[in-house]
Amino acid sequence: MKNIDRSDLTDMDEYIKFGGYSAILKALEMKPSDIIDEVKRSGLRGRGGAGFPTGMKWSFAAADPKKPKYLICNADEGEPGTFKDKPILEKNPHLLIEGMIISGYALQAEYGYIYLRGEYPKAKDILEKAIKQAYNRGYLGDNIHGKEVNFHLYVHQGAGAYICGEETALIESLEGKRGQPKIKPPFPVNEGFLSKPTVVNNVETLANIPYIIEIGAEAYSKIGSPECPGPKLFSVSGNVKNPGVYELPMGTTLREIIYTHCGGIRDDKKLKAVIPGGISTPILTPDKIDCPMDFVNMPKYGSMLGSGAVMVFDETVDLAKICLRAMKFFEHESCGKCTPCREGIGWMRAILERICSGSGMAGDIELLIEVSKNIAGKTFCPLGDGAAVVVQSFINNFRQEFEQHISKEFSKEIKVAA
Ligand code: NAD
């Protein structure tokens, strides 16, 4: 996000003025395999949420003899709480384009697609304008900068389905089919777009590539956590004084993010809970906020880095209602392909609705846990797992919030009020 608010970086001249498009010139002097090695040595891990080592993913696609190869940028960020890719797409599109040209060259892919979430119409116009500028200046198209390197880039807008952020559903959608996930393996690196080797990388991941080429893998690997280095974007929302997107070294603690960078809890209330990496990552109690936010350390504290979408809840928030809100989202977004997800999430929503409306019954919490266990690990894609994680982690950490709704005293109060 360097210079992102100092200048209009959507203008190619401004981007170049601040050093843009110099990494591509450096990369074009390197062998494709050397770029892959550089990315491997940098330690870069995927920023979409799963944290898979980027260089390793690239090397799998590069080693597959099938041709052509494709590069897809997953710009369908839809995980509730996640809005970290938006500033790159809307304010620094050339950084992403430069990252994609370098990645395309490294993979020997001549075609790239940006699969953009339907809810980002402003980004579509900005990206298309920037792509046109890059074509006009010879950075996209055939024989880039006089070299025998071709790379063509297109923007494809989704229609507002969360499931199309899942890479196999995304590829189906890009092929013009209904966006539904497929079982992996085969992974897209071997059988992706049009059944050819395809690398799907998140916006933020690709935006790191020019910087790695510019400063070199060794310098990059010294930023942030040694196990998963680099800068990380955190989108912070909820009850903090200054919500927004923050670029910080990987491994910055949740406490520092909330209290130093976001100014602490709004109205100086008490912190009740934090979801650290988007709605699908387990909710944490306040005693866990000294966790370093990276892919390796977060599991030790009982959660995951996910997409780095920090959602903060103060003492006044009813977490049972947040859980219900999340379940309505998952029910609405389930693609319906597999039964545990399609049916089970609706059941969990119905039980939560009963609990939150004061009609909860003894045994409802156990029933919720049981249904969630019949979804987790039994679906084609992680959407069902995400819903199960919400129910299980909310109940494990904040069971009393649900019990209060179910307790006789509470039900009586509701009935009297009614
Ligand atoms: P995954 O672990 O299945 O895969 C991660 C990536 O690594 C994929 O590109 C996959 O193809 C590749 N990969 C994994 N193992 C491989 C292998 N053996 N060989 C080749 N390639 C391999 O995870 P996923 O389903 O892609 O993503 C799940 C994550 O997405 C969750 O952790 C969640 O945090 C995140 N998420 C993010 C958003 C968002 O808006 N950013 C939305 C929903 C979910």
Side-chain angles (χ1 to χ4, degrees):
M1 298 222 291
K2 199 165 79 176
N3 303 320
I4 210 161
D5 289 318
R6 276 176 61 196
S7 187
D8 178 12
L9 297 177
T10 65
D11 179 42
M12 193 163 174
D13 287 322
E14 284 298 294
Y15 180 70
I16 289 174
K17 198 169 100 189
F18 286 102
Y21 286 106
S22 56
I24 173 86
L25 300 179
K26 194 172 166 189
L28 287 175
E29 298 303 320
M30 297 166 73
K31 285 199 296 207
S33 57
D34 290 345
I35 299 176
I36 296 177
D37 281 345
E38 195 75 7
V39 172
K40 263 191 189 166
R41 287 193 298 112
S42 75
L44 176 68
R45 292 174 64 159
R47 301 296 199 246
F52 194 82
T54 307
M56 191 191 291
K57 191 191 274 190
W58 287 12
S59 63
F60 290 154
D64 193 306
K66 291 198 290 296
K67 281 186 182 161
K69 299 183 201 295
Y70 295 101
L71 173 66
I72 296 176
C73 168
N74 187 344
D76 194 77
E77 68 173 348
E79 182 77 339
T82 313
F83 47 94
K84 66 177 183 73
D85 294 337
K86 201 166 184 249
I88 301 174
L89 297 164
E90 291 184 352
K91 293 186 169 186
N92 208 353
H94 286 287
L95 179 68
L96 173 62
I97 295 168
E98 186 177 6
M100 288 193 73
I101 302 167
I102 297 170
S103 311
Y105 171 58
L107 294 161
Q108 299 285 280
E110 296 199 352
Y111 294 93
Y113 299 89
I114 300 173
Y115 190 99
L116 180 67
R117 75 175 296 202
E119 294 88 341
Y120 283 176
K122 189 175 159 199
K124 180 172 187 275
D125 296 341
I126 291 168
L127 283 167
E128 282 180 341
K129 193 177 137 214
I131 287 172
K132 206 167 161 194
Q133 289 172 344
Y135 267 105
N136 289 342
R137 301 280 279 270
Y139 286 98
L140 279 172
D142 290 338
N143 301 113
I144 294 173
H145 267 249
K147 307 262 178 197
E148 279 179 32
V149 177
N150 308 331
F151 191 66
H152 294 265
L153 187 55
Y154 307 91
V155 178
H156 180 97
Q157 196 166 22
Y162 171 68
I163 195 61
C164 289
E166 195 286 326
E167 59 180 1
T168 58
L170 183 158
I171 290 170
E172 291 282 289
S173 167
L174 193 61
E175 290 175 351
K177 300 180 204 147
R178 183 174 177 153
Q180 288 192 315
K182 294 199 287 196
I183 285 283
K184 297 188 284 190
F187 290 95
V189 286
N190 301 116
E191 265 186 58
F193 185 54
L194 305 175
S195 303
K196 300 293 184 197
T198 302
V199 163
V200 184
N201 279 149
N202 168 259
V203 174
E204 188 188 343
T205 311
L206 291 162
N208 269 272
I209 302 300
Y211 191 50
I212 292 171
I213 298 300
E214 187 190 321
I215 67 168
E218 210 185 316
Y220 183 92
S221 65
K222 295 207 170 91
I223 302 168
S225 298
E227 302 98 335
C228 32
K232 176 78 194 92
L233 296 179
F234 297 99
S235 60
V236 191
S237 62
N239 305 130
V240 285
K241 287 182 185 163
N242 305 310
V245 181
Y246 292 84
E247 181 170 18
L248 299 165
M250 187 73 95
T252 303
T253 65
L254 256 184
R255 182 183 297 283
E256 192 182 327
I257 293 173
I258 296 170
Y259 287 97
T260 308
H261 301 287
C262 297
I265 308 300
R266 210 161 55 200
D267 302 326
D268 295 319
K269 291 203 161 65
K270 254 174 74 184
L271 174 67
K272 185 189 262 187
V274 192
I275 295 178
I279 198 77
S280 313
T281 59
I283 194 165
L284 293 173
T285 45
D287 57 310
K288 302 271 174 60
I289 63 170
D290 288 310
C291 52
M293 289 280 279
D294 64 38
F295 293 111
V296 173
N297 283 295
M298 287 305 288
K300 296 178 195 160
Y301 288 77
S303 193
M304 276 145 51
L305 177 65
S307 55
V310 179
M311 299 158 92
V312 181
F313 304 104
D314 73 22
E315 56 188 320
T316 66
V317 175
D318 180 339
L319 290 177
K321 284 191 180 154
I322 299 289
C323 191
L324 168 61
R325 179 71 190 84
M327 229 35 60
K328 284 183 178 170
F329 170 81
F330 285 118
E331 182 184 21
H332 179 73
E333 296 296 342
S334 171
C335 79
K337 182 169 176 174
C338 49
T339 314
C341 174
R342 185 186 63 239
E343 304 298 324
I345 296 176
W347 294 352
M348 294 200 295
R349 189 265 310 140
I351 300 165
L352 284 162
E353 212 148 49
R354 185 161 78 205
I355 292 175
C356 290
S357 68
S359 307
M361 297 184 287
D364 270 355
I365 295 178
E366 281 65 34
L367 185 57
L368 267 176
I369 297 271
E370 197 189 319
V371 176
S372 76
K373 284 184 180 161
N374 280 294
I375 300 174
K378 296 178 172 67
T379 54
F380 281 102
C381 84
L383 191 148
D385 293 332
V389 158
V390 172
V391 164
Q392 291 174 8
S393 78
F394 270 59
I395 293 176
N396 285 343
N397 289 298
F398 297 96
R399 193 183 174 98
Q400 71 283 3
E401 301 262 324
F402 298 83
E403 285 170 346
Q404 272 167 22
H405 279 281
I406 298 173
S407 71
K408 282 205 181 97
E409 283 70 23
F410 191 85
S411 304
K412 251 190 247 155
E413 271 173 41
I414 296 285
K415 276 180 199 132
V416 171

